[in-house]
Amino acid sequence: VQLQASGGGLVQAGKSLRLSCAASERTFSNGRTFSTTHWGWFRQAPGKERRFVAAIERSDRTWYSDSVKGRFTISRDNAESTVSLQMNNLEPEDTAVYYCAASFSGSLYYTGSYDYWGQGTQVTVSS
């Protein structure tokens, strides 16, 4: 299964972007399906480590980092095998490459819990 992230771009502070992540297949090699998998978004700014942004459990329970809580919303469409990240009121500090990822178990805050990663999409927010 390959993950394709899209929707990044250059925007001014205060504007919005919507990122999408599409899975090439509905079933992973271990038999798990898109709908029974947890999904997350991470971001990595230049010279910094990859950091947690948001996650959605297979139960649809969501989690957010403190820095994006109230501004970002993660959602999933099981029928389309896509997971999205709606980003509102963007700030220059949100500038980074954003990665989507799939997890089968473990804490969704940590990169080590994710088994599949997309290629990343660049988000640049100007002041």
Side-chain angles (χ1 to χ4, degrees):
V1 176
Q2 295 184 341
L3 306 182
Q4 181 71 41
S6 61
L10 171 64
V11 296
Q12 291 184 325
K15 300 297 186 181
S16 300
L17 277 176
R18 184 176 181 86
L19 305 183
S20 292
C21 177
S24 61
E25 301 174 42
R26 295 192 180 203
T27 304
F28 292 90
S29 59
N30 62 0
R32 292 283 287 269
T33 63
F34 182 93
S35 63
T36 63
T37 299
H38 311 303
W39 295 89
W41 285 94
F42 287 74
R43 65 187 181 187
Q44 187 167 17
K48 295 188 176 181
E49 63 183 11
R50 193 169 297 187
R51 294 183 175 180
F52 172 78
V53 175
I56 184 166
E57 297 181 4
R58 58 184 182 180
S59 65
D60 286 341
R61 185 175 184 180
T62 57
W63 304 89
Y64 298 94
S65 68
D66 288 342
S67 62
V68 307
K69 196 173 297 182
R71 299 188 297 123
F72 290 12
T73 302
I74 188 171
S75 61
R76 61 194 297 160
D77 186 333
N78 292 331
E80 296 294 329
S81 298
T82 59
V83 58
S84 298
L85 184 68
Q86 176 67 40
M87 305 186 296
N88 298 329
N89 193 21
L90 283 161
E91 303 170 352
E93 292 75 22
D94 296 319
T95 295
V97 177
Y98 283 70
Y99 298 89
C100 61
S103 171
F104 304 124
S105 65
S107 172
L108 297 182
Y109 287 91
Y110 301 108
T111 58
S113 297
Y114 292 80
D115 303 274
Y116 289 81
W117 290 85
Q119 86 289 359
T121 184
Q122 176 71 47
V123 172
T124 303
V125 184
S126 62
S127 57

mmCIF file with all atom_site columns, all heavy atoms in Angstrom, residues 101-125:
data_model
loop_
_atom_site.group_PDB
_atom_site.id
_atom_site.type_symbol
_atom_site.label_atom_id
_atom_site.label_alt_id
_atom_site.label_comp_id
_atom_site.label_asym_id
_atom_site.label_entity_id
_atom_site.label_seq_id
_atom_site.pdbx_PDB_ins_code
_atom_site.Cartn_x
_atom_site.Cartn_y
_atom_site.Cartn_z
_atom_site.occupancy
_atom_site.B_iso_or_equiv
_atom_site.pdbx_formal_charge
_atom_site.auth_seq_id
_atom_site.auth_comp_id
_atom_site.auth_asym_id
_atom_site.auth_atom_id
_atom_site.pdbx_PDB_model_num
ATOM 1   N N   . ALA A 1 101 ? 0.439  9.038  7.758  1.00 0.00 ? 101 ALA A N   1
ATOM 2   C CA  . ALA A 1 101 ? 0.976  7.741  8.131  1.00 0.00 ? 101 ALA A CA  1
ATOM 3   C C   . ALA A 1 101 ? -0.123 6.848  8.681  1.00 0.00 ? 101 ALA A C   1
ATOM 4   O O   . ALA A 1 101 ? -1.130 7.340  9.203  1.00 0.00 ? 101 ALA A O   1
ATOM 5   C CB  . ALA A 1 101 ? 2.087  7.914  9.154  1.00 0.00 ? 101 ALA A CB  1
ATOM 6   N N   . ALA A 1 102 ? 0.111  5.542  8.564  1.00 0.00 ? 102 ALA A N   1
ATOM 7   C CA  . ALA A 1 102 ? -0.850 4.540  9.037  1.00 0.00 ? 102 ALA A CA  1
ATOM 8   C C   . ALA A 1 102 ? -0.253 3.740  10.181 1.00 0.00 ? 102 ALA A C   1
ATOM 9   O O   . ALA A 1 102 ? 0.914  3.339  10.120 1.00 0.00 ? 102 ALA A O   1
ATOM 10  C CB  . ALA A 1 102 ? -1.234 3.604  7.896  1.00 0.00 ? 102 ALA A CB  1
ATOM 11  N N   . SER A 1 103 ? -1.068 3.510  11.191 1.00 0.00 ? 103 SER A N   1
ATOM 12  C CA  . SER A 1 103 ? -0.636 2.769  12.373 1.00 0.00 ? 103 SER A CA  1
ATOM 13  C C   . SER A 1 103 ? -1.609 1.641  12.687 1.00 0.00 ? 103 SER A C   1
ATOM 14  O O   . SER A 1 103 ? -2.823 1.799  12.579 1.00 0.00 ? 103 SER A O   1
ATOM 15  C CB  . SER A 1 103 ? -0.545 3.719  13.568 1.00 0.00 ? 103 SER A CB  1
ATOM 16  O OG  . SER A 1 103 ? -0.321 3.008  14.762 1.00 0.00 ? 103 SER A OG  1
ATOM 17  N N   . PHE A 1 104 ? -1.041 0.523  13.122 1.00 0.00 ? 104 PHE A N   1
ATOM 18  C CA  . PHE A 1 104 ? -1.884 -0.602 13.519 1.00 0.00 ? 104 PHE A CA  1
ATOM 19  C C   . PHE A 1 104 ? -1.981 -0.747 15.030 1.00 0.00 ? 104 PHE A C   1
ATOM 20  O O   . PHE A 1 104 ? -2.917 -1.370 15.537 1.00 0.00 ? 104 PHE A O   1
ATOM 21  C CB  . PHE A 1 104 ? -1.357 -1.894 12.905 1.00 0.00 ? 104 PHE A CB  1
ATOM 22  C CG  . PHE A 1 104 ? -1.226 -1.836 11.407 1.00 0.00 ? 104 PHE A CG  1
ATOM 23  C CD1 . PHE A 1 104 ? -0.015 -2.108 10.797 1.00 0.00 ? 104 PHE A CD1 1
ATOM 24  C CD2 . PHE A 1 104 ? -2.301 -1.494 10.610 1.00 0.00 ? 104 PHE A CD2 1
ATOM 25  C CE1 . PHE A 1 104 ? 0.115  -2.048 9.408  1.00 0.00 ? 104 PHE A CE1 1
ATOM 26  C CE2 . PHE A 1 104 ? -2.190 -1.421 9.233  1.00 0.00 ? 104 PHE A CE2 1
ATOM 27  C CZ  . PHE A 1 104 ? -0.977 -1.705 8.637  1.00 0.00 ? 104 PHE A CZ  1
ATOM 28  N N   . SER A 1 105 ? -1.009 -0.176 15.751 1.00 0.00 ? 105 SER A N   1
ATOM 29  C CA  . SER A 1 105 ? -1.040 -0.264 17.208 1.00 0.00 ? 105 SER A CA  1
ATOM 30  C C   . SER A 1 105 ? -0.029 0.713  17.786 1.00 0.00 ? 105 SER A C   1
ATOM 31  O O   . SER A 1 105 ? 0.820  1.248  17.078 1.00 0.00 ? 105 SER A O   1
ATOM 32  C CB  . SER A 1 105 ? -0.722 -1.694 17.664 1.00 0.00 ? 105 SER A CB  1
ATOM 33  O OG  . SER A 1 105 ? 0.597  -2.038 17.309 1.00 0.00 ? 105 SER A OG  1
ATOM 34  N N   . GLY A 1 106 ? -0.119 0.901  19.104 1.00 0.00 ? 106 GLY A N   1
ATOM 35  C CA  . GLY A 1 106 ? 0.826  1.768  19.782 1.00 0.00 ? 106 GLY A CA  1
ATOM 36  C C   . GLY A 1 106 ? 0.313  3.184  19.931 1.00 0.00 ? 106 GLY A C   1
ATOM 37  O O   . GLY A 1 106 ? -0.752 3.533  19.428 1.00 0.00 ? 106 GLY A O   1
ATOM 38  N N   . SER A 1 107 ? 1.096  3.986  20.656 1.00 0.00 ? 107 SER A N   1
ATOM 39  C CA  . SER A 1 107 ? 0.713  5.373  20.861 1.00 0.00 ? 107 SER A CA  1
ATOM 40  C C   . SER A 1 107 ? 0.789  6.159  19.562 1.00 0.00 ? 107 SER A C   1
ATOM 41  O O   . SER A 1 107 ? 1.814  6.160  18.883 1.00 0.00 ? 107 SER A O   1
ATOM 42  C CB  . SER A 1 107 ? 1.648  6.018  21.888 1.00 0.00 ? 107 SER A CB  1
ATOM 43  O OG  . SER A 1 107 ? 1.399  7.410  21.953 1.00 0.00 ? 107 SER A OG  1
ATOM 44  N N   . LEU A 1 108 ? -0.271 6.836  19.250 1.00 0.00 ? 108 LEU A N   1
ATOM 45  C CA  . LEU A 1 108 ? -0.329 7.547  17.971 1.00 0.00 ? 108 LEU A CA  1
ATOM 46  C C   . LEU A 1 108 ? 0.473  8.839  17.977 1.00 0.00 ? 108 LEU A C   1
ATOM 47  O O   . LEU A 1 108 ? 0.582  9.507  16.960 1.00 0.00 ? 108 LEU A O   1
ATOM 48  C CB  . LEU A 1 108 ? -1.784 7.831  17.603 1.00 0.00 ? 108 LEU A CB  1
ATOM 49  C CG  . LEU A 1 108 ? -2.643 6.582  17.392 1.00 0.00 ? 108 LEU A CG  1
ATOM 50  C CD1 . LEU A 1 108 ? -4.052 6.969  16.974 1.00 0.00 ? 108 LEU A CD1 1
ATOM 51  C CD2 . LEU A 1 108 ? -2.025 5.650  16.362 1.00 0.00 ? 108 LEU A CD2 1
ATOM 52  N N   . TYR A 1 109 ? 1.056  9.193  19.121 1.00 0.00 ? 109 TYR A N   1
ATOM 53  C CA  . TYR A 1 109 ? 1.888  10.386 19.211 1.00 0.00 ? 109 TYR A CA  1
ATOM 54  C C   . TYR A 1 109 ? 3.312  10.151 18.702 1.00 0.00 ? 109 TYR A C   1
ATOM 55  O O   . TYR A 1 109 ? 4.040  11.109 18.464 1.00 0.00 ? 109 TYR A O   1
ATOM 56  C CB  . TYR A 1 109 ? 1.952  10.878 20.657 1.00 0.00 ? 109 TYR A CB  1
ATOM 57  C CG  . TYR A 1 109 ? 0.685  11.523 21.149 1.00 0.00 ? 109 TYR A CG  1
ATOM 58  C CD1 . TYR A 1 109 ? -0.304 10.788 21.787 1.00 0.00 ? 109 TYR A CD1 1
ATOM 59  C CD2 . TYR A 1 109 ? 0.476  12.892 20.976 1.00 0.00 ? 109 TYR A CD2 1
ATOM 60  C CE1 . TYR A 1 109 ? -1.460 11.392 22.236 1.00 0.00 ? 109 TYR A CE1 1
ATOM 61  C CE2 . TYR A 1 109 ? -0.675 13.508 21.432 1.00 0.00 ? 109 TYR A CE2 1
ATOM 62  C CZ  . TYR A 1 109 ? -1.643 12.749 22.068 1.00 0.00 ? 109 TYR A CZ  1
ATOM 63  O OH  . TYR A 1 109 ? -2.789 13.354 22.521 1.00 0.00 ? 109 TYR A OH  1
ATOM 64  N N   . TYR A 1 110 ? 3.703  8.907  18.536 1.00 0.00 ? 110 TYR A N   1
ATOM 65  C CA  . TYR A 1 110 ? 5.081  8.602  18.235 1.00 0.00 ? 110 TYR A CA  1
ATOM 66  C C   . TYR A 1 110 ? 5.257  8.033  16.831 1.00 0.00 ? 110 TYR A C   1
ATOM 67  O O   . TYR A 1 110 ? 4.509  7.164  16.394 1.00 0.00 ? 110 TYR A O   1
ATOM 68  C CB  . TYR A 1 110 ? 5.636  7.624  19.268 1.00 0.00 ? 110 TYR A CB  1
ATOM 69  C CG  . TYR A 1 110 ? 5.568  8.175  20.664 1.00 0.00 ? 110 TYR A CG  1
ATOM 70  C CD1 . TYR A 1 110 ? 4.658  7.672  21.591 1.00 0.00 ? 110 TYR A CD1 1
ATOM 71  C CD2 . TYR A 1 110 ? 6.405  9.222  21.058 1.00 0.00 ? 110 TYR A CD2 1
ATOM 72  C CE1 . TYR A 1 110 ? 4.580  8.192  22.859 1.00 0.00 ? 110 TYR A CE1 1
ATOM 73  C CE2 . TYR A 1 110 ? 6.326  9.746  22.333 1.00 0.00 ? 110 TYR A CE2 1
ATOM 74  C CZ  . TYR A 1 110 ? 5.418  9.226  23.227 1.00 0.00 ? 110 TYR A CZ  1
ATOM 75  O OH  . TYR A 1 110 ? 5.331  9.753  24.481 1.00 0.00 ? 110 TYR A OH  1
ATOM 76  N N   . THR A 1 111 ? 6.283  8.486  16.143 1.00 0.00 ? 111 THR A N   1
ATOM 77  C CA  . THR A 1 111 ? 6.536  8.025  14.785 1.00 0.00 ? 111 THR A CA  1
ATOM 78  C C   . THR A 1 111 ? 6.772  6.522  14.733 1.00 0.00 ? 111 THR A C   1
ATOM 79  O O   . THR A 1 111 ? 6.420  5.866  13.754 1.00 0.00 ? 111 THR A O   1
ATOM 80  C CB  . THR A 1 111 ? 7.756  8.741  14.189 1.00 0.00 ? 111 THR A CB  1
ATOM 81  O OG1 . THR A 1 111 ? 8.895  8.512  15.025 1.00 0.00 ? 111 THR A OG1 1
ATOM 82  C CG2 . THR A 1 111 ? 7.517  10.245 14.070 1.00 0.00 ? 111 THR A CG2 1
ATOM 83  N N   . GLY A 1 112 ? 7.323  5.968  15.791 1.00 0.00 ? 112 GLY A N   1
ATOM 84  C CA  . GLY A 1 112 ? 7.615  4.547  15.810 1.00 0.00 ? 112 GLY A CA  1
ATOM 85  C C   . GLY A 1 112 ? 6.395  3.651  15.794 1.00 0.00 ? 112 GLY A C   1
ATOM 86  O O   . GLY A 1 112 ? 6.511  2.446  15.558 1.00 0.00 ? 112 GLY A O   1
ATOM 87  N N   . SER A 1 113 ? 5.231  4.210  16.031 1.00 0.00 ? 113 SER A N   1
ATOM 88  C CA  . SER A 1 113 ? 3.992  3.430  16.028 1.00 0.00 ? 113 SER A CA  1
ATOM 89  C C   . SER A 1 113 ? 3.385  3.316  14.639 1.00 0.00 ? 113 SER A C   1
ATOM 90  O O   . SER A 1 113 ? 2.376  2.636  14.472 1.00 0.00 ? 113 SER A O   1
ATOM 91  C CB  . SER A 1 113 ? 2.975  4.066  16.971 1.00 0.00 ? 113 SER A CB  1
ATOM 92  O OG  . SER A 1 113 ? 3.439  4.054  18.303 1.00 0.00 ? 113 SER A OG  1
ATOM 93  N N   . TYR A 1 114 ? 3.983  3.984  13.673 1.00 0.00 ? 114 TYR A N   1
ATOM 94  C CA  . TYR A 1 114 ? 3.425  4.020  12.325 1.00 0.00 ? 114 TYR A CA  1
ATOM 95  C C   . TYR A 1 114 ? 4.205  3.116  11.388 1.00 0.00 ? 114 TYR A C   1
ATOM 96  O O   . TYR A 1 114 ? 5.431  3.080  11.411 1.00 0.00 ? 114 TYR A O   1
ATOM 97  C CB  . TYR A 1 114 ? 3.394  5.447  11.794 1.00 0.00 ? 114 TYR A CB  1
ATOM 98  C CG  . TYR A 1 114 ? 2.401  6.294  12.548 1.00 0.00 ? 114 TYR A CG  1
ATOM 99  C CD1 . TYR A 1 114 ? 2.707  6.842  13.783 1.00 0.00 ? 114 TYR A CD1 1
ATOM 100 C CD2 . TYR A 1 114 ? 1.129  6.523  12.026 1.00 0.00 ? 114 TYR A CD2 1
ATOM 101 C CE1 . TYR A 1 114 ? 1.785  7.600  14.489 1.00 0.00 ? 114 TYR A CE1 1
ATOM 102 C CE2 . TYR A 1 114 ? 0.201  7.286  12.717 1.00 0.00 ? 114 TYR A CE2 1
ATOM 103 C CZ  . TYR A 1 114 ? 0.534  7.811  13.949 1.00 0.00 ? 114 TYR A CZ  1
ATOM 104 O OH  . TYR A 1 114 ? -0.394 8.555  14.643 1.00 0.00 ? 114 TYR A OH  1
ATOM 105 N N   . ASP A 1 115 ? 3.469  2.399  10.561 1.00 0.00 ? 115 ASP A N   1
ATOM 106 C CA  . ASP A 1 115 ? 4.068  1.390  9.704  1.00 0.00 ? 115 ASP A CA  1
ATOM 107 C C   . ASP A 1 115 ? 4.187  1.824  8.242  1.00 0.00 ? 115 ASP A C   1
ATOM 108 O O   . ASP A 1 115 ? 5.009  1.280  7.502  1.00 0.00 ? 115 ASP A O   1
ATOM 109 C CB  . ASP A 1 115 ? 3.223  0.115  9.775  1.00 0.00 ? 115 ASP A CB  1
ATOM 110 C CG  . ASP A 1 115 ? 3.097  -0.398 11.205 1.00 0.00 ? 115 ASP A CG  1
ATOM 111 O OD1 . ASP A 1 115 ? 3.995  -1.140 11.641 1.00 0.00 ? 115 ASP A OD1 1
ATOM 112 O OD2 . ASP A 1 115 ? 2.103  -0.042 11.882 1.00 0.00 ? 115 ASP A OD2 1
ATOM 113 N N   . TYR A 1 116 ? 3.355  2.731  7.821  1.00 0.00 ? 116 TYR A N   1
ATOM 114 C CA  . TYR A 1 116 ? 3.359  3.210  6.443  1.00 0.00 ? 116 TYR A CA  1
ATOM 115 C C   . TYR A 1 116 ? 3.381  4.746  6.457  1.00 0.00 ? 116 TYR A C   1
ATOM 116 O O   . TYR A 1 116 ? 2.669  5.369  7.263  1.00 0.00 ? 116 TYR A O   1
ATOM 117 C CB  . TYR A 1 116 ? 2.112  2.738  5.680  1.00 0.00 ? 116 TYR A CB  1
ATOM 118 C CG  . TYR A 1 116 ? 2.109  1.268  5.371  1.00 0.00 ? 116 TYR A CG  1
ATOM 119 C CD1 . TYR A 1 116 ? 1.736  0.340  6.333  1.00 0.00 ? 116 TYR A CD1 1
ATOM 120 C CD2 . TYR A 1 116 ? 2.476  0.801  4.095  1.00 0.00 ? 116 TYR A CD2 1
ATOM 121 C CE1 . TYR A 1 116 ? 1.722  -1.017 6.054  1.00 0.00 ? 116 TYR A CE1 1
ATOM 122 C CE2 . TYR A 1 116 ? 2.460  -0.555 3.807  1.00 0.00 ? 116 TYR A CE2 1
ATOM 123 C CZ  . TYR A 1 116 ? 2.081  -1.455 4.792  1.00 0.00 ? 116 TYR A CZ  1
ATOM 124 O OH  . TYR A 1 116 ? 2.074  -2.792 4.499  1.00 0.00 ? 116 TYR A OH  1
ATOM 125 N N   . TRP A 1 117 ? 4.155  5.306  5.547  1.00 0.00 ? 117 TRP A N   1
ATOM 126 C CA  . TRP A 1 117 ? 4.301  6.750  5.468  1.00 0.00 ? 117 TRP A CA  1
ATOM 127 C C   . TRP A 1 117 ? 4.101  7.232  4.038  1.00 0.00 ? 117 TRP A C   1
ATOM 128 O O   . TRP A 1 117 ? 4.539  6.573  3.091  1.00 0.00 ? 117 TRP A O   1
ATOM 129 C CB  . TRP A 1 117 ? 5.691  7.183  5.936  1.00 0.00 ? 117 TRP A CB  1
ATOM 130 C CG  . TRP A 1 117 ? 5.890  7.012  7.404  1.00 0.00 ? 117 TRP A CG  1
ATOM 131 C CD1 . TRP A 1 117 ? 6.284  5.884  8.055  1.00 0.00 ? 117 TRP A CD1 1
ATOM 132 C CD2 . TRP A 1 117 ? 5.676  8.003  8.408  1.00 0.00 ? 117 TRP A CD2 1
ATOM 133 N NE1 . TRP A 1 117 ? 6.328  6.102  9.404  1.00 0.00 ? 117 TRP A NE1 1
ATOM 134 C CE2 . TRP A 1 117 ? 5.963  7.398  9.648  1.00 0.00 ? 117 TRP A CE2 1
ATOM 135 C CE3 . TRP A 1 117 ? 5.264  9.341  8.389  1.00 0.00 ? 117 TRP A CE3 1
ATOM 136 C CZ2 . TRP A 1 117 ? 5.857  8.089  10.858 1.00 0.00 ? 117 TRP A CZ2 1
ATOM 137 C CZ3 . TRP A 1 117 ? 5.165  10.026 9.577  1.00 0.00 ? 117 TRP A CZ3 1
ATOM 138 C CH2 . TRP A 1 117 ? 5.462  9.401  10.797 1.00 0.00 ? 117 TRP A CH2 1
ATOM 139 N N   . GLY A 1 118 ? 3.475  8.391  3.907  1.00 0.00 ? 118 GLY A N   1
ATOM 140 C CA  . GLY A 1 118 ? 3.395  9.049  2.613  1.00 0.00 ? 118 GLY A CA  1
ATOM 141 C C   . GLY A 1 118 ? 4.671  9.814  2.334  1.00 0.00 ? 118 GLY A C   1
ATOM 142 O O   . GLY A 1 118 ? 5.570  9.896  3.173  1.00 0.00 ? 118 GLY A O   1
ATOM 143 N N   . GLN A 1 119 ? 4.746  10.402 1.158  1.00 0.00 ? 119 GLN A N   1
ATOM 144 C CA  . GLN A 1 119 ? 5.975  11.054 0.724  1.00 0.00 ? 119 GLN A CA  1
ATOM 145 C C   . GLN A 1 119 ? 6.114  12.473 1.242  1.00 0.00 ? 119 GLN A C   1
ATOM 146 O O   . GLN A 1 119 ? 7.192  13.048 1.149  1.00 0.00 ? 119 GLN A O   1
ATOM 147 C CB  . GLN A 1 119 ? 6.047  11.072 -0.815 1.00 0.00 ? 119 GLN A CB  1
ATOM 148 C CG  . GLN A 1 119 ? 5.349  12.228 -1.489 1.00 0.00 ? 119 GLN A CG  1
ATOM 149 C CD  . GLN A 1 119 ? 3.833  12.170 -1.425 1.00 0.00 ? 119 GLN A CD  1
ATOM 150 O OE1 . GLN A 1 119 ? 3.243  11.235 -0.876 1.00 0.00 ? 119 GLN A OE1 1
ATOM 151 N NE2 . GLN A 1 119 ? 3.183  13.172 -1.985 1.00 0.00 ? 119 GLN A NE2 1
ATOM 152 N N   . GLY A 1 120 ? 5.068  13.052 1.788  1.00 0.00 ? 120 GLY A N   1
ATOM 153 C CA  . GLY A 1 120 ? 5.129  14.400 2.322  1.00 0.00 ? 120 GLY A CA  1
ATOM 154 C C   . GLY A 1 120 ? 4.657  15.444 1.327  1.00 0.00 ? 120 GLY A C   1
ATOM 155 O O   . GLY A 1 120 ? 4.814  15.289 0.115  1.00 0.00 ? 120 GLY A O   1
ATOM 156 N N   . THR A 1 121 ? 4.065  16.500 1.873  1.00 0.00 ? 121 THR A N   1
ATOM 157 C CA  . THR A 1 121 ? 3.624  17.624 1.056  1.00 0.00 ? 121 THR A CA  1
ATOM 158 C C   . THR A 1 121 ? 4.017  18.915 1.784  1.00 0.00 ? 121 THR A C   1
ATOM 159 O O   . THR A 1 121 ? 3.834  19.032 2.993  1.00 0.00 ? 121 THR A O   1
ATOM 160 C CB  . THR A 1 121 ? 2.103  17.561 0.775  1.00 0.00 ? 121 THR A CB  1
ATOM 161 O OG1 . THR A 1 121 ? 1.730  18.624 -0.098 1.00 0.00 ? 121 THR A OG1 1
ATOM 162 C CG2 . THR A 1 121 ? 1.281  17.628 2.056  1.00 0.00 ? 121 THR A CG2 1
ATOM 163 N N   . GLN A 1 122 ? 4.584  19.857 1.043  1.00 0.00 ? 122 GLN A N   1
ATOM 164 C CA  . GLN A 1 122 ? 5.124  21.075 1.631  1.00 0.00 ? 122 GLN A CA  1
ATOM 165 C C   . GLN A 1 122 ? 4.018  22.093 1.902  1.00 0.00 ? 122 GLN A C   1
ATOM 166 O O   . GLN A 1 122 ? 3.217  22.411 1.014  1.00 0.00 ? 122 GLN A O   1
ATOM 167 C CB  . GLN A 1 122 ? 6.168  21.694 0.703  1.00 0.00 ? 122 GLN A CB  1
ATOM 168 C CG  . GLN A 1 122 ? 6.735  23.027 1.180  1.00 0.00 ? 122 GLN A CG  1
ATOM 169 C CD  . GLN A 1 122 ? 7.640  22.878 2.382  1.00 0.00 ? 122 GLN A CD  1
ATOM 170 O OE1 . GLN A 1 122 ? 8.523  22.020 2.409  1.00 0.00 ? 122 GLN A OE1 1
ATOM 171 N NE2 . GLN A 1 122 ? 7.454  23.727 3.398  1.00 0.00 ? 122 GLN A NE2 1
ATOM 172 N N   . VAL A 1 123 ? 4.031  22.609 3.118  1.00 0.00 ? 123 VAL A N   1
ATOM 173 C CA  . VAL A 1 123 ? 3.142  23.711 3.484  1.00 0.00 ? 123 VAL A CA  1
ATOM 174 C C   . VAL A 1 123 ? 4.012  24.886 3.908  1.00 0.00 ? 123 VAL A C   1
ATOM 175 O O   . VAL A 1 123 ? 4.861  24.747 4.791  1.00 0.00 ? 123 VAL A O   1
ATOM 176 C CB  . VAL A 1 123 ? 2.199  23.317 4.638  1.00 0.00 ? 123 VAL A CB  1
ATOM 177 C CG1 . VAL A 1 123 ? 1.424  24.530 5.138  1.00 0.00 ? 123 VAL A CG1 1
ATOM 178 C CG2 . VAL A 1 123 ? 1.238  22.226 4.179  1.00 0.00 ? 123 VAL A CG2 1
ATOM 179 N N   . THR A 1 124 ? 3.818  26.012 3.259  1.00 0.00 ? 124 THR A N   1
ATOM 180 C CA  . THR A 1 124 ? 4.575  27.220 3.586  1.00 0.00 ? 124 THR A CA  1
ATOM 181 C C   . THR A 1 124 ? 3.591  28.346 3.894  1.00 0.00 ? 124 THR A C   1
ATOM 182 O O   . THR A 1 124 ? 2.717  28.640 3.074  1.00 0.00 ? 124 THR A O   1
ATOM 183 C CB  . THR A 1 124 ? 5.492  27.638 2.433  1.00 0.00 ? 124 THR A CB  1
ATOM 184 O OG1 . THR A 1 124 ? 6.376  26.544 2.106  1.00 0.00 ? 124 THR A OG1 1
ATOM 185 C CG2 . THR A 1 124 ? 6.333  28.848 2.816  1.00 0.00 ? 124 THR A CG2 1
ATOM 186 N N   . VAL A 1 125 ? 3.750  28.921 5.074  1.00 0.00 ? 125 VAL A N   1
ATOM 187 C CA  . VAL A 1 125 ? 2.861  29.995 5.502  1.00 0.00 ? 125 VAL A CA  1
ATOM 188 C C   . VAL A 1 125 ? 3.672  31.273 5.639  1.00 0.00 ? 125 VAL A C   1
ATOM 189 O O   . VAL A 1 125 ? 4.610  31.337 6.430  1.00 0.00 ? 125 VAL A O   1
ATOM 190 C CB  . VAL A 1 125 ? 2.178  29.659 6.838  1.00 0.00 ? 125 VAL A CB  1
ATOM 191 C CG1 . VAL A 1 125 ? 1.179  30.753 7.216  1.00 0.00 ? 125 VAL A CG1 1
ATOM 192 C CG2 . VAL A 1 125 ? 1.481  28.304 6.755  1.00 0.00 ? 125 VAL A CG2 1
#
